[in-house]
Amino acid sequence: EWSGTHKITSKREWPDWRPPAQMIKREAAKGRYLPTYLAGGAENPLGARALYLGTTEYRIHGTNQPWTIGGAVSSGCIRMRNEDVVDLYERVNVGTTVEVI
């Protein structure tokens, strides 16, 4: 978990995913092996859109597993249903301030 204020520095449709090394290691310890890279698309856990926060690895993004929303299953990103993140993506601009509390 984290908190703070950042600006949206970029936005991507159907973003690629490169899981952080710490996530790869954590999941491998559970017997789940993640790829080092996954192209954007329906099988990608980042979903339909991503809004990148500052210079961090964190982002607001969709998910291909909406039943996991509300659970601590990521490395700190904010997950939304794809239809909701698409709506947000259209409403906010790069430079918008995001406060996570």
Side-chain angles (χ1 to χ4, degrees):
E1 294 181 17
W2 64 276
S3 62
T5 302
H6 293 286
K7 292 193 182 294
I8 295 173
T9 52
S10 67
K11 300 180 351 177
R12 300 232 169 66
E13 296 182 16
W14 296 104
D16 295 343
W17 182 50
R18 290 174 179 81
Q22 67 203 45
M23 178 184 257
I24 292 172
K25 183 178 178 181
R26 180 181 70 228
E27 294 301 313
K30 299 177 193 174
R32 182 170 177 244
Y33 299 95
L34 299 177
T36 56
Y37 170 82
L38 187 60
E43 299 300 315
N44 188 307
L46 294 184
R49 304 289 184 273
L51 297 93
Y52 294 78
L53 301 173
T55 58
T56 72
E57 292 183 344
Y58 301 120
R59 57 200 142 226
I60 301 168
H61 64 79
T63 180
N64 64 349
Q65 300 174 334
W67 58 90
T68 65
I69 293 172
V73 298
S74 73
S75 290
C77 288
I78 299 164
R79 287 171 294 122
M80 300 176 74
R81 296 180 319 148
N82 278 332
E83 55 267 31
D84 294 330
V85 79
V86 167
D87 180 62
L88 181 65
Y89 184 94
E90 297 301 324
R91 292 173 181 257
V92 299
N93 297 315
V94 168
T96 299
T97 300
V98 175
E99 183 175 358
V100 176
I101 52 174

